[in-house]
Structures are given as C-alpha cells and as structure tokens.
C-alpha cells in the first residue's frame, strides 16, 4: 500500500511539474521513449527545477547530476533528447558541486552517446568546464585522455593549444593539479603525432620538470622519458635529436647542481641512458 501511494504521488507530482515547467513541444519530446515508466522519468527531470532545489533539498541537483550517466545508459543514446535539456541545465547550475559532478563523469557519458552526439552536445559543455573553477577543472583533467581519445583527430588537436592553461591554477599551492596534468600527458602521448608532441607537450614537460614540488617533478621525469621513447620510435629522427640536445643543454650542462641532478633522474627512469648511448655512438 505504501508503494502504491508513493507511485501515485510521484505520478501526480510529475504531471503538475510537467504542465507548469515544459512547453507542449518539450513535453512531447520528453515522452518519446518507452524504456522506463514515463512518470518516473518526468519526476527525475523535474528535480532540476531551481525552485525545487530551494524549497525541497539544496543537494537534489547534485544527486541528479550524479545519476545522469546511469539514466542515459538506461535510456540509450536514441533517447538522449529526453535528457539533453536537463544536462545543459545542470552544466550551468550555480552550485560548483553540481558542475564538478558532471565534469568527473563527462567521459563516461561520451562513451554512452558516441562520437556524433559527443561532438555536438558534450564538447561545448566540456569547453565550459575547462574555464571553470579548479574544483570543476580537476574533473575533466583527471579523465582528459579518456575524453579526448573519443574525439576525431582534427577536433582533438584543437585542445593542444589549451593544455598550457592547466599550468595556471587559482591556488599556486595546488600541486596535485600539476601532478595530475603530468600523469595525463603521459597518456596523451599515444594520441598525438611526433610534431605535436615536440611543439606542444615538450614545453609543458620541461616546465613541470622545474616544479617546486618534488612529487610533480618525479612524475615529469617519467613524462620526459616516455616522450623520448615515443619520438625515438617515430619515422622522423629530427625531433628526438633536438629533444636530446635540449636535455643536455638545459639540464646536463646546467650550472646548478639541481639541474644536473634532474638530468640524472630523467636518465634513470625507463633506462633512458640506453637511448642516449645510442645517439652518442651511432
């Protein structure tokens, strides 16, 4: 009896909210699905109403954002039109915790929707998150590789120009942000060409190698060693030769002992000295 009364309340409440919040066209679009009971979906969509967040529960929008990938998976990409407006509403919510929740799951939603819907509906939201608070940006940064690998090559290259912006944070003491950037750059090496790596990722890697925090530098040493390995395997040897020369000039011949120590640490990771010996004696 309690369940019947609850379902009756949900059905009635969703009808009221639907009639007051949606236009006839939007109401028609929201009902073009037969996967779950329509009353249940309407109730979920109505929870993103700002007035409800103020009167019922201030955390309700965050809960909706957390559940949205699961709802999208259940409905399927063919019914994405039922959730698109709700997703855009949550992505522009005034509470940064709501936007942060979406930022941490946008890569999962991209897998569910596929490349076409991702390029059209998720990329603009993703770009907005990149310019948001650090609490939101860390969500897209932690899964940057997972999201970019789903995009077409041309679209993916557009983000090369924005990677440098991750070095700037609201709080300079937020060293974990830079450490995560170094971790993601290691994964991104497989997504870009040798020229892109040399032109865009190399300057960031050298900047991270000189970071004030030891944990960031250690991850950066691994990044540089993987970069050398990647360029060494490329068809054009010019990039790896130039990178080797820069490593020697910048660190090996540095007048500070810390710079020379950095060179040793970089060579220590992944037995990079083998590649150096190859270039010295071949």
């Amino acid at each position: 009896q309690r369940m019947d009364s609850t379902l009756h309340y949900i059905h009635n409440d969703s009808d009221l909210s639907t009639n007051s919040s949606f236009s006839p066209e939007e109401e028609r679009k929201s009902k073009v699905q037969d996967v779950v009971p329509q009353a249940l979906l309407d109730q979920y969509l109505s929870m993103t109403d700002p007035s409800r967040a103020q009167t019922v529960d201030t955390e309700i929008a965050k809960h909706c954002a957390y559940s949205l990938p699961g709802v999208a998976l259940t409905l399927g990409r063919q019914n994405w039109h039922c959730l698109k407006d709700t997703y855009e509403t949550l992505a522009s919510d005034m509470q940064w915790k709501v936007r942060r929740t979406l930022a941490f799951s946008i890569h999962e939603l991209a897998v569910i929707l596929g490349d076409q819907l991702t390029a059209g509906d998720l990329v603009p939201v993703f770009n907005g998150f990149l310019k948001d608070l650090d609490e939101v940006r860390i969500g897209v940064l932690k899964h940057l590789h997972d999201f970019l690998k789903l995009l077409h090559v041309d679209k993916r290259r557009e983000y090369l120009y924005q990677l440098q912006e991750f070095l700037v944070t609201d709080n300079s003491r937020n060293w974990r942000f830079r450490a995560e950037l170094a971790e993601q750059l290691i994964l991104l090496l497989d997504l870009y060409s040798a020229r892109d790596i040399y032109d865009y990722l190399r300057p960031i890697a050298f900047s991270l190698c000189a970071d004030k925090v030891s944990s960031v530098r250690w991850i950066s040493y691994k990044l540089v060693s993987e970069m050398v390995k990647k360029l060494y395997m490329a068809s054009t040897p010019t990039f790896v030769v130039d990178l080797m020369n820069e490593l020697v000039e910048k660190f090996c011949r540095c007048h500070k002992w810390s710079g020379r120590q950095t060179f040793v640490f970089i060579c220590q990771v992944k037995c990079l000295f083998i590649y150096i010996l190859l270039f010295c004696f071949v």
Side-chain angles (χ1 to χ4, degrees):
Q1 292 176 349
R2 291 174 60 186
M3 182 177 294
D4 291 340
S5 62
T6 301
L7 290 174
H8 179 72
Y9 166 77
I10 291 176
H11 180 73
N12 292 339
D13 185 56
S14 65
D15 288 342
L16 292 174
S17 62
T18 300
N19 292 333
S20 59
S21 302
F22 296 125
S23 66
E25 182 180 357
E26 291 173 333
E27 182 180 357
R28 179 184 61 82
K29 290 177 61 178
S30 68
K31 292 185 178 181
V32 184
Q33 64 88 30
D34 56 357
V35 180
V36 299
Q38 190 62 41
L40 184 61
L41 178 60
D42 290 342
Q43 175 68 10
Y44 172 78
L45 298 177
S46 67
M47 290 181 182
T48 59
D49 188 357
S51 61
R52 172 167 292 201
Q54 296 176 1
T55 57
V56 180
D57 185 4
T58 57
E59 295 288 320
I60 194 168
K62 178 183 176 183
H63 298 321
C64 291
Y66 182 84
S67 304
L68 196 140
V71 177
L73 179 62
T74 302
L75 295 179
R77 68 180 64 174
Q78 70 275 9
N79 292 316
W80 169 242
H81 61 272
C82 301
L83 299 174
K84 179 182 176 181
D85 294 339
T86 300
Y87 185 78
E88 293 175 351
T89 300
L90 292 172
S92 59
D93 195 275
M94 294 296 295
Q95 302 181 73
W96 63 265
K97 292 182 179 180
V98 177
R99 304 193 304 274
R100 173 186 169 93
T101 303
L102 293 180
F104 270 94
S105 63
I106 192 171
H107 67 290
E108 296 288 357
L109 192 58
V111 174
I112 297 171
L113 298 183
D115 55 352
Q116 292 185 352
L117 290 174
T118 296
D121 297 337
L122 296 188
V123 167
V125 177
F126 184 83
N127 294 338
F129 289 156
L130 291 178
K131 302 175 183 178
D132 212 315
L133 302 175
D134 286 350
E135 290 80 1
V136 179
R137 294 170 68 204
I138 188 62
V140 295
L141 178 59
K142 275 186 171 292
H143 302 284
L144 186 62
H145 169 264
D146 296 330
F147 185 82
L148 293 184
K149 72 178 182 181
L150 300 174
L151 303 180
H152 291 293
V153 177
D154 295 338
K155 195 68 178 179
R156 187 188 304 156
R157 291 194 74 254
E158 295 179 4
Y159 291 95
L160 285 170
Y161 309 96
Q162 304 182 45
L163 293 177
Q164 192 82 20
E165 299 177 2
F166 282 112
L167 292 174
V168 181
T169 56
D170 298 335
N171 186 358
S172 59
R173 297 180 180 179
N174 191 4
W175 61 269
R176 290 181 176 85
F177 202 92
R178 301 189 298 275
E180 185 62 41
L181 174 60
E183 292 279 8
Q184 288 296 313
L185 290 180
I186 295 175
L187 300 175
L188 290 178
L189 294 176
D190 294 332
L191 299 183
Y192 293 105
S193 64
R195 175 171 290 279
D196 289 338
I197 292 174
Y198 185 84
D199 292 341
Y200 298 99
L201 304 188
R202 175 187 54 84
I204 302 177
F206 281 138
S207 178
L208 293 173
C209 284
D211 197 272
K212 296 180 180 180
V213 180
S214 175
S215 298
V216 179
R217 295 196 301 271
W218 273 107
I219 302 175
S220 304
Y221 300 156
K222 181 181 178 181
L223 169 61
V224 173
S225 66
E226 292 290 345
M227 191 174 297
V228 172
K229 181 180 178 181
K230 181 73 175 181
L231 295 180
Y232 179 77
M233 298 298 180
S235 57
T236 305
T238 307
F239 300 115
V240 70
V241 172
D242 293 341
L243 180 60
M244 286 291 191
N245 292 332
E246 187 173 4
L247 282 173
V248 173
E249 292 295 330
K250 194 176 185 67
F251 297 113
C252 182
R253 298 176 181 175
C254 182
H255 65 280
K256 295 182 179 180
W257 66 268
S258 58
R260 299 192 297 274
Q261 185 186 58
T262 297
F263 182 79
V264 175
F265 285 149
I266 292 176
C267 294
Q268 179 182 355
V269 180
K270 293 284 185 179
C271 297
L272 186 60
F273 67 93
I274 295 178
Y275 294 102
I276 297 178
L277 289 176
L278 286 174
F279 277 96
C280 290
F281 294 102
V282 174

